Amino acid sequence: MITVVLGTQWGDEGKGKVIDYLAEDVDIVARYQGGANAGHTVVVNGRQFIFHLVPSGILYPDKVCVIGNGVVIDPVSFLEEVSYLKDNGIDVEGRLFVAENAHITLPYHKLLDQIEDRFRGKGSLGTTGRGIGTTYADKFNRVGIRAVDFLDDDIFRNKLDIALELKNYLFREYYKEKMLNKDKIYEEYKEAREGMKGMVRNTSLYLHDEVEKGRHVLAEGAQGTFLDIDFGTYPYVTASNSISGGACTGLGVSPKKISRIIGVVKAYTTRVGMGPFPTELDGEEGDNLRKTGNEYGATTGRPRRCGWFDSVLVKFACMVNGIDELVMTKLDVLSGQEKIKIGVAYEFGGEIHNDYTFNSKVFSNCSVVYEEMAGWCDDIGRVKEYRHLPANAKKYIERIEQLIEVPISKISVGSSREQTISK
Ligand code: GDP
Ligand code: IMO
Ligand code: MG
């Protein structure tokens, strides 16, 4: 059986915390897309871990973790994570696998990502600069290098040759940058190739066999629904399918095996990087939310843009992902707000839009129709049972459930495992 856990907004919903919490009851945690652009935070016994590529279930010594074929892997970033875990007493030996057919991010991908985003000028996306879009572009352009290719001396050299031909032409002729040297890259990655050798395998076959044996797999999504390449706020999106459908192509598992889909949703909205954000709060209100929620990127440290909950977005996310239940995070951050707003529709050119729209003219320029609710002052970080939450907090949760027509099954009121309430 496979359960998918994914983000329903613009990423950073608290997927890492929720996946770590849910991982206790599963056998395998498998990441299905994205790359080292992700930053998934897990806090256990007061210690904080930020995962970029390693699945968020790794802290349990008996869980197997898989990085699926849909992920793009920066070997340097990956092995840094692995050695950080080892240094902190977490042994990954024999329980961390990488898909043979996952694509590898190399120095030219990162360089090109950063240069391209600069060259976009006014149209800059504010990417993480981790070479994500450029690695996926090579994959689709059929000049990518997969993990299995990376490990083979001859194939790696050959593919590097082909990939660098065009890249170096661009660097030299167009971007006026230094060219990259194939032999240097080959030498620089010797150690990384050695380090990854024991982990690379056919993970699609492995997952299939484990599911057949009755094991429970948790498929970990990165980013969020509105950063999805097809359904997000294009072009201000990432370069992969973060929606639930991405779990099938990103792990090589059949849709028939997916039995549950859980959405992670923040009690308000945040976004990093450029792009439209209808419920964004400018000025002091946004600053306060950022400060209280400590909203700074786990990967790049950039301040996250903050705003009110947008039920139009989350309703669409529930539809496109087929979400069965939601876990709401960071409700504690809203404590102390006198009034809390929920965006319930958009207004543009005298027309009301009750649904998410791909029309960027509407989505970028609309005003939001809000409902206003009374807030609560109590610190809720220690609340263990739903009935002990302040009445107004419960009203807020229940109003959101009504608006999006999907149950909120758990509420997170702090970053650690224990600060999770079942409803
Ligand atoms: P992800 O990318 O979806 O895994 O989310 P991030 O880890 O990038 O960002 C979520 C941040 O919120 C992290 O710093 C978490 O430790 C923190 N966090 C998660 N859940 C809660 C919560 O319920 N309350 C508070 N205050 N912080 C939380
Ligand atoms: P997690 O998994 C939030 C954003 C970047 C940028 C856009 C494209 O931690 O939720 P990219 O480097 O992917 O080409 O950048 O996507 N972005 C994220 N925002 N959380 C993430 O991951 C993100 N991964 C990418 O800021 O706007
Ligand atoms: Mg994050």
Side-chain angles (χ1 to χ4, degrees), residues 179-196:
M179 295 206 292
L180 296 184
N181 182 287
K182 179 184 106 178
D183 295 325
K184 197 163 164 246
I185 296 179
Y186 182 83
E187 287 304 320
E188 275 174 4
Y189 277 77
K190 258 194 172 146
E191 203 183 311
R193 291 163 66 221
E194 206 47 51
M196 280 177 66

Side-chain angles (χ1 to χ4, degrees), residues 12-17 39-41 298 304 329-330 332-333 412-415:
D12 302 328
E13 296 90 348
K15 297 176 292 296
K17 138 119 200 200
H40 295 179
T41 314
R304 294 174 181 152
T329 60
K330 305 193 92 158
D332 54 301
V333 175
S412 169
V413 291
S415 55

Side-chain angles (χ1 to χ4, degrees), residues 360-408:
S360 61
K361 200 184 257 175
V362 176
F363 195 73
S364 304
N365 299 295
C366 62
S367 53
V368 180
V369 180
Y370 284 108
E371 272 185 24
E372 204 172 83
M373 302 196 66
W376 60 91
C377 321
D378 327 38
D379 174 5
I380 57 172
R382 287 197 178 81
V383 174
K384 299 274 179 236
E385 287 180 49
Y386 185 72
R387 64 196 169 98
H388 292 148
L389 281 173
N392 285 347
K394 286 187 279 196
K395 275 190 194 153
Y396 181 65
I397 294 166
E398 285 156 27
R399 180 62 189 139
I400 288 174
E401 282 179 316
Q402 260 175 3
L403 286 165
I404 57 192
E405 297 171 24
V406 172
I408 296 173

Side-chain angles (χ1 to χ4, degrees), residues 9-306:
Q9 292 153 317
W10 277 294
D12 302 328
E13 296 90 348
K15 297 176 292 296
K17 138 119 200 200
V18 172
I19 288 158
D20 167 75
Y21 176 84
L22 297 172
E24 188 172 3
D25 297 326
V26 309
D27 303 291
I28 300 165
V29 181
R31 249 291 285 279
Y32 63 83
Q33 44 70 236
N37 51 349
H40 295 179
T41 314
V42 177
V43 179
V44 178
N45 298 329
R47 277 164 78 196
Q48 176 179 280
F49 294 82
I50 298 174
F51 299 116
H52 303 290
L53 284 160
V54 173
S56 304
I58 200 75
L59 298 181
Y60 295 91
D62 58 333
K63 310 295 174 196
V64 172
C65 286
V66 170
I67 302 181
N69 59 280
V71 178
V72 290
I73 300 167
D74 174 352
V76 179
S77 172
F78 173 61
L79 291 167
E80 265 173 21
E81 262 179 71
V82 169
S83 70
Y84 180 80
L85 284 166
K86 278 188 187 153
D87 293 346
N88 283 276
I90 290 125
D91 189 12
V92 304
E93 192 70 36
R95 62 181 191 97
L96 177 58
F97 304 130
V98 173
E100 286 182 331
N101 48 341
H103 281 248
I104 298 290
T105 297
L106 289 162
Y108 48 86
H109 293 120
K110 289 188 263 188
L111 191 58
L112 210 51
D113 180 13
Q114 290 156 20
I115 294 173
E116 280 180 357
D117 213 32
R118 258 202 333 264
F119 266 68
R120 283 187 191 109
K122 272 195 295 193
S124 157
L125 307 178
T127 72
T128 59
R130 297 293 192 272
I132 306 302
T134 44
T135 310
Y136 281 115
D138 273 6
K139 170 176 174 173
F140 284 88
N141 210 14
R142 284 134 312 158
V143 290
I145 298 177
R146 301 165 306 169
V148 67
D149 305 323
F150 182 60
L151 295 188
D152 184 290
D153 282 341
D154 302 327
I155 299 180
F156 182 43
R157 271 187 187 279
N158 270 335
K159 295 216 165 195
L160 203 50
D161 229 1
I162 295 167
L164 273 181
E165 189 81 25
L166 176 64
K167 301 290 181 305
N168 271 335
Y169 178 80
L170 284 176
F171 286 139
R172 187 182 66 229
E173 301 294 327
Y174 188 69
Y175 293 119
K176 312 290 179 210
E177 289 276 337
K178 266 196 280 187
M179 295 206 292
L180 296 184
N181 182 287
K182 179 184 106 178
D183 295 325
K184 197 163 164 246
I185 296 179
Y186 182 83
E187 287 304 320
E188 275 174 4
Y189 277 77
K190 258 194 172 146
E191 203 183 311
R193 291 163 66 221
E194 206 47 51
M196 280 177 66
K197 223 164 223 165
M199 303 186 210
V200 177
R201 63 189 289 180
N202 184 331
T203 52
S204 171
L205 265 180
Y206 170 75
L207 289 172
H208 175 83
D209 288 348
E210 293 301 304
V211 170
E212 286 301 299
K213 281 188 237 164
R215 305 261 200 274
H216 189 171
V217 177
L218 202 154
E220 171 172 356
Q223 288 82 54
T225 303
F226 297 95
L227 288 172
D228 180 279
I229 185 79
D230 285 287
F231 294 96
T233 46
Y234 193 89
Y236 300 99
V237 292
T238 191
S240 63
N241 282 118
S242 47
I243 61 161
S244 57
C248 295
T249 53
L251 294 176
V253 296
S254 162
K256 287 194 284 192
K257 303 288 184 209
I258 294 177
S259 40
R260 201 145 187 87
I261 300 170
I262 301 177
V264 183
V265 67
K266 207 179 268 192
Y268 47 96
T269 314
T270 61
R271 166 160 216 173
V272 207
M274 312 305 281
F277 179 175
T279 62
E280 181 168 16
L281 287 166
D282 296 320
E284 209 177 310
E285 276 183 301
D287 292 345
N288 285 341
L289 215 44
R290 185 175 312 109
K291 215 184 283 168
T292 319
N294 192 24
E295 294 294 356
Y296 294 89
T299 296
T300 58
R302 289 180 292 177
R304 294 174 181 152
R305 299 155 63 193
C306 297

Side-chain angles (χ1 to χ4, degrees), residues 343-362:
V344 295
Y346 309 131
E347 194 270 333
F348 180 76
E351 252 182 75
I352 296 290
H353 297 258
N354 292 304
D355 293 305
Y356 171 59
T357 170
F358 295 114
N359 182 333
S360 61
K361 200 184 257 175
V362 176

